[in-house]
């Protein structure tokens, strides 16, 4: 993952003629994997299917290895985005919560998908965040082999570090196909995880409000 100021920003510490500090640069967030070799992935996918006794000779399966390779490449490639923030001029100090953000990731143990929703919130400090960026951060950490526990904590930690809020919280509820389609085959089951930081962890009123709202939204 690479995080750097947006190229359009030249001088962060400079002041304009009126002595007003310039707008904070947007943080450009880019996930840089080790490199994707689609041709090698397609060849390996074909060998994988053949090893499982699935012939790719029939016309309907001939293109399957390539589709597998492209599908997983897409699942592991989050889109870059700018973490745009704005001054909290009004001193807003109540909870900001985005509910039911779609989550799509892949279990790192079986490489099977897990899907669900995330509720992501924060108590603003000096700056507020463009609301769509909450969903972007979730996607950023979900597009890789994952476990739900780590994903939940990564989103909360990242917001706490890069936004500097008074508190941050994340609740994720997801269905894991490695649990529902194989093994125990617990159809209909879901897994919930949460991470609370700052005042959302230490202040009882803020904690209760966050958990009540996320429970109502589930």
């Amino acid at each position: 993952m690479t995080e750097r100021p947006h190229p359009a920003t030249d001088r962060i510490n400079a002041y304009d003629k009126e002595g007003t500090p310039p707008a904070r640069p947007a943080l450009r967030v880019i996930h840089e994997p080790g490199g994707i070799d689609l041709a090698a992935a397609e060849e390996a996918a074909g060998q994988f299917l053949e090893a499982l006794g699935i012939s790719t000779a029939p016309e309907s399966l001939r293109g399957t290895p390539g589709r597998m390779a492209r599908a997983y490449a897409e699942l592991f490639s989050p889109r870059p985005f700018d973490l745009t923030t704005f001054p909290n001029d009004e001193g807003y100090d109540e909870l900001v919560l985005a509910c039911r953000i779609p989550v799509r990731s892949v279990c790192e143990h079986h490489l099977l998908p897990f899907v669900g929703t995330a509720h992501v919130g924060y108590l603003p400090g000096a700056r507020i965040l463009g609301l769509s960026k909450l969903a972007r951060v979730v996607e950023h950490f979900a597009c890789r082999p994952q476990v739900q526990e780590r994903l939940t904590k990564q989103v909360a930690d990242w917001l706490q570090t890069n936004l500097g809020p008074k508190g941050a919280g994340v609740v994720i509820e997801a269905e894991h196909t490695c649990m529902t389609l194989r093994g125990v085959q617990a159809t209909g089951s879901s897994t919930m995880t949460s991470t609370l930081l700052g005042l959302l962890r230490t202040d009882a009123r803020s904690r209760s409000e966050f958990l009540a709202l996320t429970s109502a939204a589930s």
Side-chain angles (χ1 to χ4, degrees):
M1 175 175 63
T2 298
E3 300 165 6
R4 54 175 176 265
H6 194 280
T9 302
D10 294 321
R11 298 175 62 195
I12 298 175
N13 297 318
Y15 284 72
D16 64 19
K17 293 180 181 179
E18 288 73 31
T20 303
R24 176 183 289 191
L27 186 70
R28 187 67 169 171
V29 182
I30 303 172
H31 177 61
E32 295 180 341
I36 295 176
D37 187 337
L38 284 176
E42 179 176 350
E43 181 179 357
Q47 294 173 351
F48 172 74
L49 292 172
E50 294 285 350
L52 291 176
I54 301 172
S55 172
T56 58
E59 183 178 351
S60 60
L61 286 166
R62 202 169 297 151
T64 296
R67 288 188 287 267
M68 285 177 61
R70 292 189 296 273
Y72 274 97
E74 181 179 341
L75 288 171
F76 297 154
S77 301
R79 294 167 291 181
F81 68 96
D82 296 329
L83 187 73
T84 47
T85 66
F86 308 94
N88 187 10
D89 293 331
E90 301 301 320
Y92 184 80
D93 60 359
E94 296 294 333
L95 182 65
V96 177
L97 179 63
C99 294
R100 294 182 293 276
I101 297 171
V103 173
R104 179 200 70 186
S105 192
V106 176
C107 165
E108 68 179 27
H109 302 136
H110 300 94
L111 286 191
L112 290 173
F114 66 91
V115 296
T117 57
H119 311 299
V120 183
Y122 69 97
L123 289 169
R127 301 187 71 81
I128 56 176
L129 180 66
L131 290 177
S132 67
K133 308 311 176 186
L134 294 172
R136 293 287 197 181
V137 173
V138 172
E139 177 190 298
H140 179 78
F141 287 105
C143 286
R144 62 192 70 181
Q146 268 289 13
V147 295
Q148 185 174 326
E149 297 89 337
R150 183 195 303 129
L151 171 61
T152 307
K153 191 172 187 304
Q154 283 177 330
V155 174
D157 285 346
W158 198 89
L159 286 173
Q160 190 73 20
T161 298
N162 290 279
L163 182 60
K166 296 177 181 177
V170 179
V171 171
I172 295 178
E173 181 175 8
E175 177 181 327
H176 292 249
T177 56
C178 60
M179 183 176 178
T180 60
L181 299 182
R182 57 158 299 280
V184 69
Q185 298 184 22
T187 304
S189 66
S190 62
T191 300
M192 295 193 69
T193 50
S194 65
T195 296
L196 302 178
L197 303 174
L199 287 179
L200 288 181
R201 185 181 184 91
T202 61
D203 180 70
R205 185 191 70 84
S206 298
R207 180 186 180 95
S208 296
E209 179 185 15
F210 178 82
L211 293 176
L213 289 174
T214 54
S215 296
S218 296

